[in-house]
Amino acid sequence: MSYSISLTVNGAQRRVQLDDPRVTLLDLLRERLDLTGTKKGCDRGQCGACTVLVDGRRINSCLALAVTLDGADISTIEGLADGDTLHPVQAAFIEHDGFQCGYCTPGQIMSAVGLISEGHAGDDPERVREGMSGNLCRCAAYHGITEAVVDATRRMAETTERKSA
Amino acid sequence: MKRFDYIRPVSVDDAVAAFRPGAAYLGGGTNLLDLMKIGVIQPDTLIDLGRIAELGPIEMLPGGGARVGALVRNSDLAYDRAFAAAFPMVAEAILAGASGQLRNAATVGGNLMQKTRCAYFQDPHSACNRREPGSGCAARGGDNANLAVLGWSDACIATNPSDMCVPLAALGAVVEVQGPAGKRDIPIADFHQLPGDQPETETALQPGELVIAIRLPTEAADFARNARYLKVRERTSFAFALVSVAAALKLDGQKIIAARIALGAVAAKPWRVTAAEDLLVGQAPTEEAFARAADALLEGARASGDNGYKIELARRAVIRALQMSAAGTPKRMPALPASPFGDVAEEHSHV
Ligand SMILES: Cc1cc2nc3c(=O)[nH]c(=O)nc-3n(C[C@H](O)[C@H](O)[C@H](O)COP(=O)(O)OP(=O)(O)OC[C@H]3O[C@@H](n4cnc5c(N)ncnc54)[C@H](O)[C@@H]3O)c2cc1C
Ligand code: SF4
Ligand code: FES
Ligand code: FES
């Protein structure tokens, strides 16, 4: 049996023919759609390297079957920047040394974008650490990651205030 | 992973009609897909519940109870204002489990049905009576430091890993199910099964039955002002419990009118003993009274391996959780939900 699904990936419509329902969203992105920014760490929900947004919510793409997501809107790290202008979370990770080897970074950044839009952590470092606990960093760049997320949260809140003023 | 057929019904009736032996219902997939990848579960058909709208809503019931559809995502339930205000320890327990990403995907039905985290259950090459009846139990002579101290049998010493189910058990939730023989209600106390000599029978569900909702009874909302979840684990976040406690009190000044207590991660089901709760009725909320309740709750506990430490840990955790609930439900979800590292009397709202 073959399954046809349509997805919006980083704003673009994609129609995908799946001849096997076993394909995870992570493998679809990396192997079929050439979006290798999303990383595979554990493939078991334990590390967060594969974090993407589905309909605006962060999930582990290694534990989602692509076939279940027909009609969904997917955002990956490749779609975050606006041309050459980095997303505030990306810029903050660079400013605050939120990485060393960089392998966990796309997942950290997508998770942070999801966390900020959930709106429960605010700029409280303890709540940010708790909210980001699904993203492991083997290089232990946690200090910079927390600073980056707190800083990006503040800047994005200021931008929203300025826009609404 | 073994190849499977995939179907996506849009009603519970169609899902039940599609069921045949060898099929599995798919919720968020965070447990099922994981176990399929490592060959522990090998369904030949996946029945995706994800598009069944009737499994979706959270309803607050007149009089104080609630009904939560099986497909409600864990995060949506924990952050539902009305639900979290009425049942704060359920919200706290959910937020103490897994990670933000997993909670966004995991469903209430899947959480209720999640499998044990026993390492040998997860390894198809190990002997495991739960996975393969009659093959033995590799955990008995292996790494069993986090396995059961209550209700275990020689056949299996595994624990139920769910956080959400612990306060649901304390509050006497009811599981609504539907299957080939129609609909029925199962009290949560009867839902998860102790292993006995049939550890492979994990729940009271019959073949083809699926969870459609959980219901919290009216009286469960009486505990909103004094309800806490406490989870002791090897790191502060994103780790399964060594021991956890849901503790709730109904107080009249300095007198306890009713109490609810359940322990997690100590048995194959959340552990609730109503006789232990009754000991608190009419008492003042003192450490001595809490210790007596803890002893009654842990009556009969015994090590099943290198895990005797969990008995004393559980006893102390029960006392602490009761003290935390006596101090009052926090006004806002603590930064570290269910953590033992908070001050007992921190930022609570109602005292
Ligand atoms: C890394 C990691 C860490 C975790 N940490 C925690 C933790 O600290 N605390 C905790 O409590 N949990 C934890 N979990 C487990 C998590 O809570 C469960 O995986 C999740 O709740 C399962 O829900 P799901 O919807 O994804 O279920 P699925 O994976 O879709 O299904 C799980 C099981 O339930 C069955 N099922 C699903 N829905 C129904 C239904 N409606 N009726 C009948 N059967 C059904 C499936 O067939 C399957 O057997 C963790 C998981 C991972 C991967
Ligand atoms: S404790 Fe239970 S689940 Fe673990 S190996 Fe033994 S029989 Fe299997
Ligand atoms: S690769 Fe998905 S969580 Fe590790
Ligand atoms: S930067 Fe290396 S794993 Fe996080």
Side-chain angles (χ1 to χ4, degrees):
Chain A
M1 213 167 147
S2 158
Y3 307 83
S4 167
I5 60 169
S6 73
L7 300 172
T8 307
V9 183
N10 298 327
Q13 274 293 125
R14 308 289 290 255
R15 180 155 279 284
V16 185
Q17 201 67 33
L18 295 170
D19 49 15
D20 189 325
R22 287 177 291 189
V23 183
T24 60
L25 175 59
L26 174 60
D27 288 341
L28 179 76
L29 291 169
R30 292 182 54 84
E31 312 290 336
R32 295 276 303 273
L33 303 181
D34 279 336
L35 293 169
T36 53
T38 306
K39 301 303 179 205
K40 183 183 284 191
C42 64
D43 212 24
R44 295 193 63 189
Q46 298 174 356
C47 74
C50 65
T51 304
V52 300
L53 305 185
V54 173
D55 296 329
R57 295 158 63 104
R58 54 183 173 147
I59 63 152
N60 303 107
S61 61
C62 68
L63 290 184
L65 289 171
V67 67
T68 65
L69 297 171
D70 189 18
D73 187 348
I74 317 286
S75 308
T76 71
I77 190 74
E78 288 91 343
L80 212 53
D82 180 7
D84 286 338
T85 312
L86 292 179
H87 185 281
V89 175
Q90 291 175 305
F93 265 69
I94 294 173
E95 263 174 60
H96 293 276
D97 282 333
F99 49 84
Q100 285 181 37
C101 78
Y103 195 81
C104 70
T105 312
Q108 298 280 359
I109 290 176
M110 295 314 290
S111 187
V113 172
L115 176 77
I116 292 168
S117 77
E118 286 159 19
H120 304 296
D123 60 0
D124 174 351
E126 192 81 305
R127 288 181 193 270
V128 166
R129 279 190 287 271
E130 168 63 34
M132 293 291 292
S133 72
N135 293 82
L136 305 194
C137 175
R138 204 68 188 80
C139 302
Y142 295 111
H143 186 73
I145 292 169
T146 304
E147 283 188 342
V149 179
V150 166
D151 193 17
T153 304
R154 287 186 189 141
R155 276 192 245 172
M156 287 168 73
E158 279 165 23
T159 315
T160 324
E161 265 169 41
R162 233 178 294 130
K163 274 188 191 150
S164 60
Chain B
M1 196 191 306
K2 205 179 90 177
R3 174 105 197 208
F4 53 83
D5 287 332
Y6 171 78
I7 47 181
R8 191 164 61 208
V10 291
S11 73
V12 174
D13 287 346
D14 288 351
V16 170
F19 185 87
R20 54 192 154 72
Y25 293 121
L26 174 69
T30 61
N31 189 216
L32 183 56
L33 199 52
D34 186 18
L35 293 172
M36 285 166 65
K37 286 184 184 188
I38 56 176
V40 169
I41 305 184
Q42 305 193 320
D44 52 34
T45 306
L46 279 192
I47 304 173
D48 183 359
L49 306 176
R51 307 289 168 113
I52 303 182
E54 66 195 279
L55 297 179
I58 302 171
E59 299 161 71
M60 300 307 289
L61 303 175
R67 183 178 185 276
V68 182
L71 206 59
V72 172
R73 307 288 161 171
N74 286 189
S75 50
D76 291 337
L77 186 58
Y79 290 121
D80 184 276
R81 276 173 185 275
F83 182 88
F87 310 105
M89 67 177 173
V90 180
E92 186 166 20
I94 291 173
L95 294 178
S99 66
Q101 291 96 313
L102 288 160
R103 294 190 297 266
N104 277 344
T107 64
V108 163
N111 193 322
L112 200 66
M113 291 292 293
Q114 64 173 296
K115 306 283 182 184
T116 183
R117 308 303 288 199
C118 171
Y120 305 98
F121 176 83
Q122 295 199 5
D123 171 18
H125 304 292
S126 293
C128 171
N129 289 324
R130 187 174 285 261
R131 178 168 34 72
E132 206 182 310
S135 63
C137 171
R140 291 311 298 274
D143 179 0
N144 48 30
N146 192 19
L147 299 188
V149 293
L150 282 160
W152 53 272
S153 71
D154 284 336
C156 178
I157 59 175
T159 57
N160 183 298
S162 169
D163 289 300
M164 181 192 81
C165 290
V166 182
L168 289 181
L171 293 173
V174 173
V175 184
E176 293 181 21
V177 309
Q178 184 174 333
K183 292 187 187 182
R184 63 187 178 117
D185 283 351
I186 306 174
I188 194 164
D190 302 331
F191 188 80
H192 300 102
Q193 310 279 295
L194 291 179
D197 53 11
Q198 281 186 316
E200 72 277 15
T201 308
E202 300 185 293
T203 71
L205 286 191
Q206 295 297 313
E209 276 188 325
L210 68 98
V211 176
I212 56 173
I214 51 160
R215 226 171 45 233
L216 284 147
T218 306
E219 64 274 15
D222 290 351
F223 297 91
R225 294 163 67 94
N226 295 89
R228 290 301 303 269
Y229 187 66
L230 173 65
K231 180 174 177 181
V232 184
R233 44 201 146 160
E234 284 179 342
R235 57 183 182 201
T236 304
S237 184
F238 202 24
F240 285 95
L242 299 172
V243 159
S244 70
V245 189
L249 297 169
K250 192 174 166 189
L251 291 169
D252 179 9
Q254 278 303 295
K255 203 166 95 186
I256 299 168
I257 299 171
R260 296 298 181 87
I261 323 165
L263 272 166
V266 294
K269 62 191 283 186
W271 198 258
R272 180 180 175 204
V273 177
T274 51
E277 298 169 357
D278 295 343
L279 287 178
L280 289 174
V281 176
Q283 305 290 308
T286 61
E287 184 168 342
E288 295 68 37
F290 293 158
R292 281 194 296 277
D295 287 338
L297 182 58
L298 283 153
E299 201 177 290
R302 84 200 147 95
S304 62
D306 303 325
N307 53 15
Y309 78 96
K310 287 180 72 163
I311 301 171
E312 180 60 17
L313 185 61
R315 207 183 70 83
R316 296 185 193 191
V318 170
I319 296 170
R320 172 77 79 91
L322 283 163
Q323 288 171 330
M324 287 162 64
S325 71
T329 303
K331 214 179 321 218
R332 185 180 175 203
M333 186 59 64
L336 303 175
S339 170
F341 300 114
D343 180 350
V344 166
E346 188 187 31
E347 39 167 345
H348 42 80
S349 58
H350 300 295
V351 276

